[in-house]
Amino acid sequence: MHNHGDGTRRKQRFQERLEVLRESTLHQRVKQHLPTGRWTRRHWIHASLFTTIGVMVATIVPGFSNAIQPQSAVDGRATLALSLPSLSQAQLEGVAGDSWQIVRVKPGQTLGAIFEELDIPAATMHVLLEDKEAKASLTRLKPGTELAFDLPVSGELRTLRYDRDPQHRIELSVEGDKVTERVIERETTTRTVVLSGKVGRSLNRSARKAGLTAANINSLTDDIFKYDIDFNSDLAPDDRFSVVVEQTWREGELISTSPVQAATFTVDGKLHSGFRFARPGGKPEYFTAAGRPLKKSFIRMPIPYARLSSKFGARRHPVLGSMRMHKGVDYAAGTGTPIMAAGDARVQFAGWQNGYGRVVILDHGRGHTTLYGHMSRLGKIKVGQRIAQGTVIGYVGSTGMATGPHLHYEFRVNGVHRNPLSVTMPPPEPLSGAQLASYRTYTANALARIRTVENIIYADVAPAVPTTEDKPATQVAAAPAKPAKSKAKKG
């Protein structure tokens, strides 16, 4: 306190000296230049100049002196008392709904951590979690989930609010050990839209700009067109895409986008198309306009990031040293590299088998089987289980007769070994009968939407030429071209 008082007095004395100096300077300058008789033009100029200087000194000096603040003897920092705005009467009286605090869940953050951060007692959280539905929602929080807390001045939680699903908001009001639940209906609107754009410098950037989600983009590159388009080398800036999705909106905010319902990709003037459709009792798949599955029956290489180390045919066995028929192909890869099922199948065998070491045999139907040998360990599969193409069935190893970690892969047709690299893979089963008729009606509507939008956006571009697989039995007439104005049209 003593140091603070000394600093205040020094500041006052400094201001007084500056004021005296300013007044003295002004009086002396003006006195020296006062005329004894009638003022000339020079006298008026000098008087104006001194007046301007006086105003500037009067303005700058106080600000400069105020900038020199007394230093605290404790940490060398200046302190300044500020008056805080007074609380509203509603906040002072604790009116419900006046003190909402919004929290977005961070990655790895738990409900307990959020309560601790807001200084809400753990006992209050346990009271809320006694509600089974609330416990199911609040104990599995995803990053980005929004929680709202009504916290009055007293600091006691009044209400917790969260969204159970896009259509329902839950408010849990707390009064002691009693929790009251209120369900609020929230109106949503779902619209079918066509999102279109050109590849430009980056397909990912252009697709996101058009409105596609990361999952939609992955569907284009990994599910629909990966067998027909090499996205690393085939694309040009003027190649274009159009995608049909369903968007769900709530109170003017886009809250979700469906999987891709239909898509076209024009590459070098050729049109590729894919449509999402589910066979009766089956999962949704993507088909060409002609009704053939886009997913091939078999993957040629059921292992990522591998090098072909041994081909199919006669060779000298690396362990036995004798000439023997190599009934498959070998892919060299590091131990632990995942191995995928080459096609949809039923697990026929999974375990140890002589020189194959740990091995899995898959039955794909119609007499086709595949074998995967020398695994370090098996995947989460069991005999008799039906699995989808791409399912991880095991991991690369060197069990059995092997000189190093690799995958031994065999392809058999009715028990006869075939070269996996050259065998003609059986085509997937196309749609037929009533399924095909229903599918054609669906694709006709989807194509009509896409072509209407593309004729508006790309009016000056020549129409794409469908590939053989993209020519449906019934062609859809394109809408007349209109001037290009927008990049998305709502259906």
Side-chain angles (χ1 to χ4, degrees):
M1 293 297 296
H2 177 71
N3 291 336
H4 181 70
D6 292 343
T8 302
R9 285 193 293 272
R10 284 197 300 271
K11 175 185 174 183
Q12 292 175 348
R13 287 197 298 269
F14 180 76
Q15 288 178 325
E16 291 172 357
R17 287 198 297 270
L18 288 176
E19 188 66 25
V20 171
L21 177 62
R22 180 182 62 180
E23 294 293 335
S24 174
T25 302
L26 288 175
H27 285 297
Q28 290 179 5
R29 293 293 183 183
V30 172
K31 184 177 180 180
Q32 291 175 3
H33 291 80
L34 280 176
T36 55
R38 187 177 178 181
W39 281 25
T40 65
R41 181 178 179 183
R42 179 181 178 185
H43 292 147
W44 283 110
I45 293 175
H46 287 171
S48 300
L49 177 61
F50 292 141
T51 303
T52 302
I53 294 174
V55 172
M56 292 177 62
V57 171
T59 304
I60 297 173
V61 169
F64 176 75
S65 62
N66 289 335
I68 303 176
Q69 299 291 339
Q71 293 186 343
S72 171
V74 178
D75 54 9
R77 292 182 297 176
T79 59
L80 179 65
L82 297 175
S83 59
L84 296 176
S86 59
L87 293 173
S88 66
Q89 191 63 29
Q91 289 174 318
L92 290 172
E93 295 176 358
V95 177
D98 189 67
S99 306
W100 286 107
Q101 294 190 35
I102 309 298
V103 175
R104 288 194 179 274
V105 180
K106 301 173 184 176
Q109 194 174 33
T110 63
L111 185 65
I114 296 173
F115 269 64
E116 183 178 353
E117 184 178 315
L118 296 175
D119 292 328
I120 305 174
T124 304
M125 181 182 68
H126 295 315
V127 170
L128 289 168
L129 295 181
E130 288 179 1
D131 183 289
K132 292 183 178 179
E133 186 174 307
K135 184 176 182 179
S137 299
L138 297 175
T139 54
R140 294 194 297 268
L141 295 174
K142 296 180 180 179
T145 300
E146 183 179 288
L147 300 177
F149 298 83
D150 186 12
L151 288 168
V153 178
S154 62
E156 296 179 358
L157 178 64
R158 208 157 33 198
T159 306
L160 170 63
R161 185 178 70 201
Y162 65 93
D163 291 335
R164 184 176 67 192
D165 53 53
Q167 291 80 31
H168 300 91
R169 170 167 284 178
I170 306 297
E171 287 190 356
L172 300 176
S173 299
V174 184
E175 292 183 13
D177 293 337
K178 181 182 177 182
V179 177
T180 305
E181 180 185 274
R182 179 185 174 207
V183 181
I184 303 172
E185 295 280 348
R186 308 186 73 188
E187 184 179 353
T188 62
T189 303
T190 300
R191 297 179 293 209
T192 301
V193 299
V194 179
L195 307 175
S196 186
K198 288 187 176 182
V199 171
R201 293 183 178 181
S202 166
L203 171 61
N204 186 72
R205 186 183 301 119
S206 299
R208 293 304 292 264
K209 185 177 180 180
L212 296 178
T213 65
N216 294 152
I217 299 171
N218 289 338
S219 291
L220 292 182
T221 58
D222 297 341
D223 297 332
I224 305 176
F225 299 118
K226 74 173 182 179
Y227 298 102
D228 301 309
I229 301 173
D230 186 336
F231 286 93
N232 292 319
S233 60
D234 289 350
L235 298 185
D238 286 336
D239 292 339
R240 62 184 187 268
F241 57 88
S242 293
V243 179
V244 178
V245 295
E246 291 181 346
Q247 293 181 336
T248 301
W249 294 77
R250 183 185 63 206
E251 300 170 3
E253 178 187 3
L254 177 63
I255 58 175
S256 66
T257 301
S258 74
V260 174
Q261 305 298 305
T264 61
F265 217 116
T266 303
V267 179
D268 194 24
K270 294 182 179 179
L271 177 69
H272 303 271
S273 61
F275 304 87
R276 195 170 191 259
F277 188 76
R279 303 175 193 259
K283 295 181 179 180
E285 300 177 61
Y286 289 100
F287 296 81
T288 67
R292 290 192 174 276
L294 283 166
K295 184 181 75 173
K296 306 305 181 185
S297 295
F298 290 90
I299 302 173
R300 289 279 184 188
M301 185 175 173
I303 180 174
Y305 318 118
R307 172 179 59 86
L308 180 66
S309 57
S310 185
K311 297 181 180 180
F312 182 88
R315 66 163 190 177
R316 187 175 298 279
H317 195 279
V319 176
L320 302 177
S322 58
M323 292 297 295
R324 296 182 63 174
M325 179 67 179
H326 190 221
K327 299 179 180 180
V329 294
D330 292 344
Y331 292 104
T335 300
T337 302
I339 301 168
M340 302 173 290
D344 297 342
R346 178 182 61 84
V347 180
Q348 185 181 96
F349 179 86
W352 192 277
Q353 193 177 96
N354 303 322
Y356 287 117
R358 288 191 183 88
V359 66
V360 170
I361 301 176
L362 302 180
D363 182 358
H364 303 277
R366 294 187 290 174
H368 296 83
T369 60
T370 52
L371 179 147
Y372 313 77
H374 306 307
M375 294 182 178
S376 59
R377 59 189 176 96
L378 304 178
K380 296 179 180 179
I381 58 173
K382 57 184 180 180
V383 174
Q385 177 183 353
R386 297 204 66 84
I387 59 175
Q389 183 183 80
T391 300
V392 175
I393 58 175
Y395 302 86
V396 169
S398 53
T399 56
M401 286 198 298
T403 57
H406 71 280
L407 166 66
H408 174 77
Y409 174 54
E410 294 183 4
F411 192 96
R412 302 173 183 175
V413 180
N414 296 322
V416 179
H417 291 84
R418 300 289 182 86
N419 185 351
L421 302 181
S422 61
V423 64
T424 300
M425 300 293 187
E429 288 290 334
L431 297 172
S432 60
Q435 291 182 23
L436 183 58
S438 175
Y439 175 76
R440 283 175 175 167
T441 301
Y442 164 67
T443 57
N445 292 332
L447 278 174
R449 289 178 182 272
I450 291 174
R451 286 173 176 167
T452 298
V453 171
E454 290 201 343
N455 285 335
I456 295 173
I457 300 175
Y458 311 113
D460 56 343
V461 179
V465 179
T467 63
T468 304
E469 289 291 342
D470 286 315
K471 294 179 181 177
T474 304
Q475 295 289 338
V476 182
K482 297 180 181 180
K485 287 186 178 180
S486 64
K487 285 198 173 182
K489 183 178 178 65
K490 295 169 185 171

